[in-house]
Amino acid sequence: MSPARLNALTDGVVAIVLTIMVLELKFPAQPTLHAVLAVLPLLAAYLLAFVNVAIYWNNHHHMMQSDRKVTGAVLWTNHALLFFLTLFPLVIRWIDDAGITPWPVASFGIVLVCAAISYDLLERALIRAEGEGSGVQKALGSRAKEWISTVLYGAAVPCDFLSPYISVAIYVGVSIMWIIPDRRFEH
């Protein structure tokens, strides 16, 4: 199987996730500064989720440019990644309802950890599908950035119960680390 259909499915799911997230946004209740400030936590959660979904899409796009073969394992690991990306609107809604509190912010972190792990599994499945000389394997290198990200996400989850703002800072820091698309696949 060629990767074109997998890419089309991924593009469609990501578009739906982004659409659902924006539809969850609320207008300020009144045209006042106080009302605008009341929706800022939701806007911040939306921005962070949007950036993370965009990072995954960008890196997925770049990685799939190096791939020539899709197997059942690749399909299922891609579905796992899409599953976790589709949870972003749910955790944003919870953050909106409960505020920047430990459980919703920890859930956001758990979704980030699971998305990172599923992306790693997708990379591995793509490498196995192509075997020796895999374009994905050649491009990946040490993968230190992936491991650091996953460890930071995992460490941030228990920090939510000390202060959710510490965890949010970690999530933002990791996102900043990934803002530039994965250049390893551009060569």
Side-chain angles (χ1 to χ4, degrees):
M1 174 185 287
S2 86
R5 289 195 53 159
L6 177 77
N7 290 335
L9 171 71
T10 302
D11 291 349
V13 171
V14 167
I16 291 168
V17 167
L18 296 175
T19 301
I20 291 170
M21 285 192 322
V22 77
L23 293 175
E24 290 294 322
L25 294 179
K26 296 177 183 172
F27 286 101
Q30 300 290 323
T32 64
L33 178 60
H34 179 71
V36 169
L37 293 175
V39 299
L40 284 183
L42 175 61
L43 291 175
Y46 167 76
L47 176 62
L48 186 58
F50 183 94
V51 166
N52 274 279
V53 171
I55 288 167
Y56 277 106
W57 185 87
N58 285 344
N59 288 329
H60 185 278
H61 172 74
H62 282 98
M63 179 172 60
M64 294 306 291
Q65 299 305 308
S66 299
D67 183 53
R68 301 289 169 250
K69 185 176 180 185
V70 173
T71 63
V74 170
L75 292 174
W76 281 110
T77 54
N78 194 73
H79 286 314
L81 174 62
L82 294 176
F83 171 76
F84 292 111
L85 295 181
T86 64
L87 293 178
F88 278 113
L90 178 68
V91 293
I92 287 174
R93 188 177 314 127
W94 194 12
I95 290 169
D96 180 39
D97 290 344
I100 311 282
T101 56
W103 283 106
V105 177
S107 297
F108 191 91
I110 290 167
V111 169
L112 288 169
V113 169
C114 292
I117 290 169
S118 62
Y119 189 85
D120 179 67
L121 293 173
L122 176 59
E123 287 176 340
R124 292 170 190 268
L126 287 165
I127 291 167
R128 279 192 309 276
E130 288 196 334
E132 287 297 316
S134 161
V136 173
Q137 186 174 28
K138 288 177 187 173
L140 283 176
S142 74
R143 301 166 72 193
K145 196 169 160 182
E146 287 97 335
W147 287 106
I148 291 168
S149 301
T150 305
V151 167
L152 286 172
Y153 288 148
V157 171
C159 289
D160 283 308
F161 300 97
L162 297 172
S163 170
Y165 294 99
I166 293 170
S167 297
V168 169
I170 293 169
Y171 304 152
V172 168
V174 173
S175 296
I176 289 169
M177 217 169 59
W178 284 99
I179 287 289
I180 298 170
D182 201 335
R183 301 256 186 248
R184 297 174 294 182
F185 290 102
E186 291 183 357
H187 302 294

